[in-house]
Each structure stands twice: as C-alpha cells, then as structure tokens.
Amino acid sequence: MTSLKAASPEDLADPRGPVTPEQTQKAEELKADANKYFKECKYNDAIRLYTEAIELNPTLAAYYCNRAFAYIKTEAFGYAIADAEKAIELDPSFVKGYYRRATANMALCNFKASLRDYRTVVKRAPGFADGRKKLAECEKIVRRVEFEKAIEFDDTERSIVDQINLEAMSIDDSYDGPRLSQTPEAALPTATKAIDVSFVDGMVAWFKDQKKLHKRYAYQIVMAAKDIFTALPSLVDIQIPQGVRLTICGDVHGQFFDFLNIFELNGRPSPTNWYLFNGDFVDRGSFSVEVILTLLAYKWLYPEAVHLARGNHESTNMNKMYGFEGEVKSKFSDMMFKLFTETFNALPLAHVVQDKILVVHGGLFSRDDVTLDEIRAINRFSQPPTSGLMCELLWSDPKPTPGRQPSKRGTAIEFGPDVTEAFLKHNDLDMVIRSHEVKDGGYSIDHNGKCVTVFSAPNYCDTMTNLGAYIHVTADCELSYHTFKAVPHPANVKAMQYASQFNSFGI
C-alpha cells in the first residue's frame, strides 16, 4: 500500500519550472478567498481554493499549512499530516508546519508523535502561548497513557459489573426523578420488564430539563443493554415484518436535542417503528450521556425493534479525546465510564437488512474476498485494532474513483465503486448503507446508487450548518430519504465542552 504522502496530489518538485509573477499574484488572491471561506466554516470550498493556489505556486509552506488546517476541520487528518510534512520539507523553520502535524496526530491519538512536534514548536517559538499549553496537555496525556499501560493486567474473565453493587446505591427521598421497578426481573411476572414506556418517557423529559438520572438506574440500564448486546453476533440479521418500518440513522454525536427531534418527526421507537442507529452516538456533542442512556433504555425496552452498531467513536481513545470520558466522569464516575467501555465492546459491528442491505458505520475492506461469515466471526470484544476487518468496518470511507487508497483520515482505506460492486456481488447483496461522514444535505448516494452515506447530526458541532437525515426501509426493501434541520439546545452547553483542551482544534 502506498503511503499517504506518496498519494498526495502534489509531487515534491514542480516540473513546470519557476513560478511566474502572475502565478504568484493569482495564488495569493486564491489564498485570500480561501481564508474567507475558512472563516465562514466552508471548509471544503477553502480546500478547493487552497489547492488551486498550490497548483499555481507549490513553493510556499503557508499554503500547505492553511490547507492542512482545513483538512483538520473536515477530519481528513491523514491529508493534514501529509500537507504539514510538505510544509516542513519546503521550510524546516516553519513552526506552523510542526504545529499542524501535531494537531492532526493528536486527533488520531498518536500522542508520542504529537509530543515530538509540540516540543519543536515550543523550542522554536517559546513565546507561543498556545504551543506551550498544548505541549503541557500532551505531556500529561502521554504520562497518563504510560501509567495506565504500566498498571494494566490481564483480567479478561472479570467484568467491571462484578464491582458494581446496586443495593448499596440508596435512593434518597429527595430524588424526584423517574424510577425503575426495584423488583428483580427474574421475580417479575413472565414478559414483564423492570423498564417500561412511562419510565423512558419520564427519563427523556428529565434529561430535557438538564437533570441527572440517579446512578442506580443508569447502571441498571447500561448493564441490561450490555447483556443483550453480548448475546448477539458481530453481524446481526434484521428481518422487517410487514407493517413495520425500519429507520436507519447515522452519527448523532451527543447532540441530544437533535436526536430527540428525530423521534418528534419520525415517532419514538415501538414494536412497529423500528430503529437502527449506525454508530457514533457519543463524543463532541456535550449531551452524550443523555443520548446513550436513552438509546440503551430503548434497547432494553424493545430489543427486537431497536438496533445499535458500533462506530469508531465507541472506543476509549476517541472518548478520552473528544469528550465522552470527561462527560461521564463529570456526571457519574470512572466506574461508569468503564462500564460504558465494556458495553461498547459488546456492540455489533454490522447489520444485514432483509438479506440485501449491509449497514456498517465506516465501510468496506482492503481485499476483495471478504464474506459476511467472516464479519460474523470477528471477535469484537476489545478496543478496535489499527488494521484488519474490524478497523475497516469502523473507519473506511468511499471515494468516487475506482480502486483503493489510504484513507484521508490516516486510518483504514478509501474504496471506489468497483470495490463496492465486487463486494456486493460476492455476498449477494444489493447495497451498502454507512455513516461516518458529514454531508451537507444529510445524506449522499454514491457508487451508482449502491453506497449511501447517512449522517444524523445537523449543524454538526454547532458550526457545520449541514442538514441531518434518516432513511426509511420497508419490508419490501423500499427506501426513502428524509432530512431535517438542527433545533435549539441550551445555550450554556457548547459542543466539545467536556473534551480535552485540544477541543480548541475545532475537531
């Protein structure tokens, strides 16, 4: 596989000869226009104009650094690293090159690589306050990772559940929120659950008022859902009965009020109104706890009607960087975060709907002969690896041209329409539905209609102005697409509020 740098659109040298004064002037004009787009959060337009400027004048490190920053904003961290490295090659003294590379590596959780660059930034620009701040934070993260690695031990047979004592979690009379039945489910009448619709409705209303669920009930919900997921295969088959509609949603990323708006527009989950949420429930948005507890409560209530797939953000490294860990520890505890981690490890990786539609968070694979049985056989009960089928299911993206290439994200691959066609034919499928990418219109139909992206977090991170979308699927495999706008959320709670201080990257 070729390197990202080798796949960059610019060669290391300009074969056309010296840059003319006219090209220099035009490139500066393009850069200025690109900067305006960047300030308006129109990052793809900015990338397009920075690229045009680079094509006219490929000798200026600043152009590559500006484009790298725009790539970071669009989560194309692999491309950002390639551009930063090009800037450093052109001008080894250009501090922003090291700073941008450090930023992108932090986003990919490549902490030690980032640390080296932050040290270079501080050494060469000691007065750069933000550089010193980021260096200190990066050092702290590296120390914590090394400490956690030093104290970890192999205890694969023991679950955090063994350390949770629900009976010791007394509920004070002053708590006036929703309450679950305290009768053990095993002692309840047949077909009766400790959870019911009135509890979930009350919990949602409680969350809308920015109130916290009692920890005992939160633990009960997560543990019940974890048991359900653990019993499932890595690939789940969904058969939609006649008279039932399945709604497939993409990333919601902790945007609780937009998430609830889906239910307002489309109806709440029920035995006839099924849902499949296709990963990335948490991180970035600052109501991730409320989103995931609501989803897990519905899974417990309607296990056949509510389906959840793992996304790349249902992982510890992402949660440490992008806010979920900080939010859980702020609202509950470290033990609760560990329970969520175990539960995320149990989430299925893929679904097949009506034997014809593969639904995965990221995408397809670096080889052609992958079968559904291979996906079913994946041992998913771990943190996602950095290569292989599980990694590619969570991280890959489609591209418009044939073939495969390293991902713009720096992890997994990008796959073309021919790859999609071959996979579908090999597995007797009709199409792939995936998520993982912001789309201005909420969804995108690519690869001759055989690869659809759906994204359900409108105005992503309060900055992207995109629509959200969801897809209806009937028992006859008829699809319809629906878009929606963002709704207001409490102004005092910003996106990335609980993230590492690296949230100033805006990623």
Side-chain angles (χ1 to χ4, degrees):
M1 184 177 289
T2 57
S3 70
L4 265 172
K5 188 171 181 181
S8 180
E10 292 75 39
D11 293 326
L12 295 181
D14 180 15
R16 299 168 301 172
V19 179
T20 67
E22 292 78 11
Q23 288 173 319
T24 299
Q25 180 179 345
K26 180 61 177 175
E28 280 295 300
E29 293 170 358
L30 287 165
K31 184 194 77 168
D33 289 340
N35 289 346
K36 291 177 184 177
Y37 277 130
F38 188 95
K39 290 178 181 178
E40 295 170 358
C41 300
K42 297 177 180 178
Y43 302 119
N44 288 322
D45 288 326
I47 289 168
R48 174 175 54 82
L49 293 188
Y50 288 137
T51 300
E52 291 181 19
I54 288 169
E55 288 171 351
L56 287 170
N57 185 0
T59 66
L60 291 184
Y63 292 178
Y64 293 92
C65 268
N66 285 8
R67 191 171 67 174
F69 198 11
Y71 277 140
I72 287 168
K73 291 290 190 178
T74 61
E75 304 178 22
F77 304 122
Y79 286 2
I81 290 170
D83 268 359
E85 289 178 348
K86 176 64 176 178
I88 293 167
E89 181 177 346
L90 287 169
D91 184 357
S93 67
F94 193 61
V95 172
K96 279 191 176 179
Y98 300 95
Y99 187 70
R100 296 284 182 249
R101 187 167 67 181
T103 300
N105 271 313
M106 281 301 299
L108 292 170
C109 300
N110 296 331
F111 302 124
K112 289 187 176 180
S114 184
L115 181 61
R116 288 193 296 270
D117 279 335
Y118 280 127
R119 286 173 173 165
T120 299
V121 169
V122 170
K123 181 179 179 180
R124 297 189 179 192
F128 183 25
D130 197 55
R132 295 198 309 272
K133 178 181 176 183
K134 298 292 171 48
L135 172 61
E137 176 70 4
C138 189
E139 287 176 334
K140 184 171 72 172
I141 291 172
V142 169
R143 285 196 299 269
R144 184 178 71 167
V145 169
E146 290 178 345
F147 174 74
E148 290 172 348
K149 187 175 182 179
I151 65 172
E152 71 181 5
F153 59 97
D154 185 9
D155 194 15
T156 54
E157 298 302 318
R158 189 181 183 196
S159 167
I160 192 68
V161 173
D162 298 334
Q163 302 175 42
I164 297 170
N165 183 356
L166 292 177
E167 298 304 318
M169 300 177 189
S170 60
I171 302 171
D172 192 272
D173 290 341
S174 63
Y175 175 74
D176 59 349
R179 292 174 179 257
L180 282 167
S181 168
Q182 294 310 297
T183 304
E185 286 209 356
L188 290 171
T190 302
T192 301
K193 290 179 180 286
I195 194 170
D196 57 24
V197 172
S198 63
F199 171 83
V200 179
D201 288 347
M203 183 182 72
V204 168
W206 191 249
F207 287 158
K208 288 173 71 175
D209 289 337
Q210 297 187 69
K211 296 179 180 179
K212 189 174 77 172
L213 186 68
H214 193 279
K215 64 181 180 180
R216 176 167 178 158
Y217 303 138
Y219 276 113
Q220 281 183 265
I221 291 168
V222 182
M223 288 191 294
K226 176 179 177 290
D227 286 344
I228 295 170
F229 293 132
T230 300
L232 295 173
S234 291
L235 185 152
V236 175
D237 291 284
I238 300 175
Q239 296 295 328
I240 308 171
Q242 290 294 332
V244 170
R245 183 183 68 193
L246 174 68
T247 299
I248 300 175
C249 300
D251 309 35
V252 293
H253 272 303
Q255 296 183 197
F256 181 66
F257 292 86
D258 294 311
F259 162 74
L260 290 186
N261 190 39
I262 296 173
F263 296 153
E264 291 297 318
L265 297 170
N266 193 60
R268 295 194 174 186
S270 75
T272 58
N273 194 34
W274 290 13
Y275 278 89
L276 167 52
F277 283 87
N278 196 29
D280 282 13
F281 324 117
V282 301
D283 280 341
R284 294 199 171 93
S286 296
F287 294 94
S288 292
V289 164
E290 289 77 8
V291 167
I292 191 61
L293 285 177
T294 302
L295 283 172
L296 297 183
Y298 272 123
K299 181 65 181 176
W300 185 12
L301 181 63
Y302 301 125
E304 301 301 320
V306 176
H307 304 272
L308 276 67
R310 192 173 192 172
N312 63 302
H313 276 266
E314 279 70 56
S315 64
T316 301
N317 279 344
M318 293 291 105
N319 296 162
K320 289 179 184 296
M321 279 294 295
Y322 294 103
F324 186 58
E325 180 188 46
E327 183 182 345
V328 174
K329 290 182 177 180
S330 173
K331 295 177 180 178
F332 289 102
S333 64
D334 180 61
M335 181 176 286
M336 177 65 86
F337 177 68
K338 291 177 180 177
L339 178 60
F340 274 122
T341 296
E342 286 193 7
T343 303
F344 291 164
N345 287 350
L347 286 167
L349 302 177
H351 294 77
V352 170
V353 178
Q354 301 301 83
D355 301 316
K356 289 299 179 183
I357 303 172
L358 176 70
V359 185
V360 298
H361 179 73
L364 299 182
F365 310 101
S366 54
R367 57 183 175 87
D368 281 330
D369 57 348
V370 175
T371 65
L372 296 183
D373 283 341
E374 282 186 84
I375 299 173
R376 289 189 181 95
I378 294 172
N379 181 5
R380 69 187 187 276
F381 295 93
S382 66
Q383 288 303 295
T386 57
S387 62
L389 298 186
M390 183 172 171
C391 172
E392 290 164 354
L393 282 166
L394 300 181
W395 280 94
S396 291
D397 293 295
K399 67 187 185 82
T401 55
R404 296 178 174 90
Q405 67 185 42
S407 172
K408 62 188 177 183
R409 300 174 187 270
T411 302
I413 65 159
E414 295 178 16
F415 59 96
D418 55 328
V419 176
T420 299
E421 179 74 30
F423 174 82
L424 295 176
K425 184 177 181 179
H426 189 60
N427 289 281
D428 193 24
L429 297 169
D430 289 346
M431 67 184 301
V432 175
I433 294 177
R434 41 90 61 183
S435 304
H436 194 41
E437 287 184 287
V438 183
K439 295 296 178 182
D440 289 342
Y443 69 96
S444 176
I445 302 175
D446 302 297
H447 293 186
N448 303 311
K450 296 186 176 181
C451 182
V452 172
T453 298
V454 59
F455 194 84
S456 304
N459 194 27
Y460 182 46
C461 290
D462 298 339
T463 61
M464 299 297 283
T465 71
N466 60 290
L467 294 174
Y470 50 84
I471 304 172
H472 288 161
V473 186
T474 68
D476 299 322
C477 251
E478 295 179 354
L479 275 64
S480 59
Y481 301 87
H482 305 266
T483 61
F484 59 100
K485 295 180 179 179
V487 297
H489 65 73
N492 63 319
V493 183
K494 305 297 183 184
M496 301 289 282
Q497 183 162 302
Y498 295 95
S500 156
Q501 65 173 272
F502 285 95
N503 66 3
S504 60
F505 296 161
I507 53 179

